Amino acid sequence: MHNLGITITGSGSAVPATSLDNQRLTELVETTDEWITTRTGICQRQLALPSESLSVLATDASKQAIAAAGIKAEDLDLILLATSTPDDLFGSACQVQAQLGATKAVAFDLTAACSGFVFGLVTAAQYIRTGVYQNVLLIGADILSRWVDWEDRRTCVLFGDGAGAVVLQASISDRLLGFALKSDGAQNHHLNVGYAGSSKELLPGINVTKGAYQPITMNGKEVYRFAVQKVPEIIDKALFQANLNVDDIDWLVLHQANQRIIDAVAQRLNIPEHKVISNLAHYGNTSAASIPLALDEAVRQGKIKPNDIVAISGFGAGLTWGAAIFQWGR
């Protein structure tokens, strides 16, 4: 008999040791601490050194999650790495699998930018509900500092590096209560790390492109408008699927992009401030890492307790957005 439910049994997180606060940023670009904090809520961010890799950050977060779940790396059946910044364009999940010694696990990357963790959670859930896999490690990790234009003051103040992970296990009781996912490629141009290719003639009449990627470009106004409109809607959809209403939510953990977005979404949903988890003041926008990083911190601080109902929502490039409602713990 297959256990078709899902429980989230452990979490972990990791950030690089190097910190860059707003005051130091003013030495780099024309800005002020006051300007950054009032518009974004961000005070500092952690940056990966050239010697640090995405796979090492992801592995550190994973080890904590595996320990918290009370299992061993060898018990894992599947490792999902949600990232837009792999160390290798072919993917980094297999490196994490090797570093963990998760010899039984199949591993692959999943790319959905800042929505990656939510998309990954739903993906992992399908493998568990169909009875294929019992123990799944889901990681959200990004090193966006690699892809930031450090001369663009509109974007360089926003991003930071980090990793967060959770272990999902098959169970008799299902703790994933509802979810909803959406994409709108028509709005793709608002947020990109675009391919920048130059034409190269191999032979007469045969041209290829050789290139790299441009740094992050973003239309902040449009992304703000998109998030404030679409995120409350998608959380409502997930709540409807879970047969719950807003008052049932104990904690709201949104993608940590901007404090103004978090505040606006909470207000639209009528969720009081004391239920809203926010840690972007310390980390900035860590893309796919932001939700699991905030979740893990809140769990370790004793805020999020077993059986609490948590609503999470990710939103970002694609454009993609999604929400999931779950009960924490076994």
Side-chain angles (χ1 to χ4, degrees), residues 8 11 21 26 43-44 67 102 111 118 138 140-141 143 147 194 205 217 231 250 275 280 288 304 320:
I8 305 177
S11 65
D21 66 22
T26 65
C43 301
Q44 64 178 75
T111 305
V118 180
L138 167 64
I143 298 183
W147 298 103
T217 59
V231 173
D250 293 307
K275 289 185 174 186
L280 65 72
I304 297 177
T320 54

Side-chain angles (χ1 to χ4, degrees), residues 5 25 36 101 109 113 143 206 218 222 248 267 271 283 287 315:
L25 257 183
I36 300 168
D109 288 33
I143 298 183
I206 298 177
M218 183 173 83
E222 287 301 323
D248 297 318
Q267 275 170 343
I271 294 176
Y283 305 110
S287 190
F315 50 91

Side-chain angles (χ1 to χ4, degrees), residues 163-216:
V166 293
V167 170
L168 308 161
Q169 293 185 271
S171 150
I172 292 158
S173 67
D174 195 357
R175 316 285 267 175
L176 178 59
L177 309 174
F179 66 81
L181 305 175
K182 294 280 278 186
S183 299
D184 181 7
Q187 294 191 70
N188 176 272
H189 55 285
H190 293 319
L191 184 51
N192 297 101
V193 176
Y195 176 72
S198 53
S199 182
K200 178 177 161 60
E201 188 172 49
L202 291 184
L203 292 162
I206 298 177
N207 290 291
V208 293
T209 61
K210 186 168 170 43
Y213 288 88
Q214 294 165 342
I216 293 169

Side-chain angles (χ1 to χ4, degrees), residues 7-12 61-73 75-76 135-137 165-169 296 300 328-330:
T7 58
I8 305 177
T9 55
S11 65
S62 299
K63 282 176 177 166
Q64 293 175 23
I66 292 163
I71 62 169
K72 293 189 192 71
D75 299 323
L76 293 171
N135 299 313
V136 181
L137 172 67
V166 293
V167 170
L168 308 161
Q169 293 185 271
D296 179 56
R300 289 176 191 271
W328 178 254
R330 282 188 167 77

Side-chain angles (χ1 to χ4, degrees), residues 78 80 108 110 118-128 136 168 181:
L78 170 67
L80 282 179
F108 63 90
L110 182 149
V118 180
F119 279 47
L121 180 69
V122 173
T123 303
Q126 307 316 307
Y127 285 101
I128 293 173
V136 181
L168 308 161
L181 305 175

Side-chain angles (χ1 to χ4, degrees), residues 77-101:
D77 302 304
L78 170 67
I79 297 170
L80 282 179
L81 173 61
T83 188
S84 304
T85 56
D87 296 321
D88 178 334
L89 195 54
F90 289 150
S92 290
C94 294
Q95 277 177 289
V96 175
Q97 180 241 359
Q99 286 170 23
L100 287 171

